[in-house]
Amino acid sequence: MIKLFRNTRRKLLAENKFSKYLAYAIGEIFLVVVGILIALWINNENQERIYEKKAEVILKEIQRDLKKDIESSREVINRFITHDSIAKLLLWDKLTADEMFADESKSYGIVFRDITFKTSENGYVNFKRNLDNIPTKYNSISNELKGLY
């Protein structure tokens, strides 16, 4: 193909047909520009596809973090319920401190464990780090996540 263009160019210049050569040159430039634009379009589509996949991975990580946080919060709530129940038994004199510590088969020892809850933010941190590359269709999710975290 290049050989054909080269031969055509030489032939037109040899015959001193400058106007035809100019039309040919403009056509060749047009073809090069179209080729570059097509290559850029393909590159942009591939880049968007990569960003889309990365966003899906990050959102799945956030989903796993949220599920883990929900499970951890259930454990904390259950521990508070147990503390509350034991406190009510103590206040209503249905359980004495001696009884509470005498029977080791009952789980009164839970009262002395620390209650801590820490959210898992790895997915959201990753999301914020890649915020510039997240496709625009996830903007509403982005705003909701900002409010959540």
Side-chain angles (χ1 to χ4, degrees):
M1 186 67 125
I2 294 174
K3 192 173 185 179
L4 174 72
F5 288 143
R6 189 178 307 139
N7 289 338
T8 305
R9 192 176 334 127
R10 284 184 188 157
K11 184 176 155 186
L12 289 173
L13 284 175
E15 295 175 359
N16 287 331
K17 295 183 180 177
F18 184 73
S19 60
K20 285 188 179 181
Y21 174 74
L22 188 61
Y24 163 79
I26 291 172
E28 194 170 332
I29 290 170
F30 177 75
L31 286 175
V32 169
V33 169
V34 168
I36 290 171
L37 290 175
I38 290 172
L40 286 173
W41 177 76
I42 291 171
N43 185 42
N44 286 342
E45 289 295 314
N46 286 337
Q47 199 64 40
E48 283 296 318
R49 210 171 304 123
I50 289 169
Y51 290 155
E52 182 75 28
K53 286 180 183 177
K54 191 168 190 175
E56 287 176 12
V57 168
I58 291 171
L59 290 173
K60 284 181 182 177
E61 184 179 7
I62 291 172
Q63 185 180 25
R64 280 192 304 272
D65 286 349
L66 289 174
K67 285 180 181 179
K68 183 178 169 187
D69 289 348
I70 289 169
E71 191 58 39
S72 295
S73 67
R74 283 185 184 141
E75 290 174 12
V76 168
I77 289 169
N78 288 338
R79 200 169 292 158
F80 273 116
I81 290 171
T82 303
H83 283 215
D84 187 52
S85 299
I86 293 170
K88 283 180 185 177
L89 288 174
L90 288 170
L91 287 172
W92 293 338
D93 291 330
K94 293 187 179 184
L95 178 70
T96 64
D98 293 334
E99 291 173 333
M100 189 165 109
F101 296 113
D103 191 0
E104 297 206 10
S105 65
K106 295 181 181 173
S107 61
Y108 296 128
I110 196 169
V111 174
F112 299 106
R113 290 189 208 144
D114 287 338
I115 299 175
T116 57
F117 178 74
K118 183 161 175 35
T119 58
S120 304
E121 296 182 356
N122 295 335
Y124 182 65
V125 168
N126 199 8
F127 184 80
K128 279 184 8 183
R129 214 177 302 138
N130 291 292
L131 205 53
D132 294 337
N133 300 332
I134 301 293
T136 56
K137 72 179 188 178
Y138 295 117
N139 283 348
S140 62
I141 293 173
S142 174
N143 294 334
E144 291 295 325
L145 287 174
K146 285 178 189 175
L148 182 64
Y149 284 95

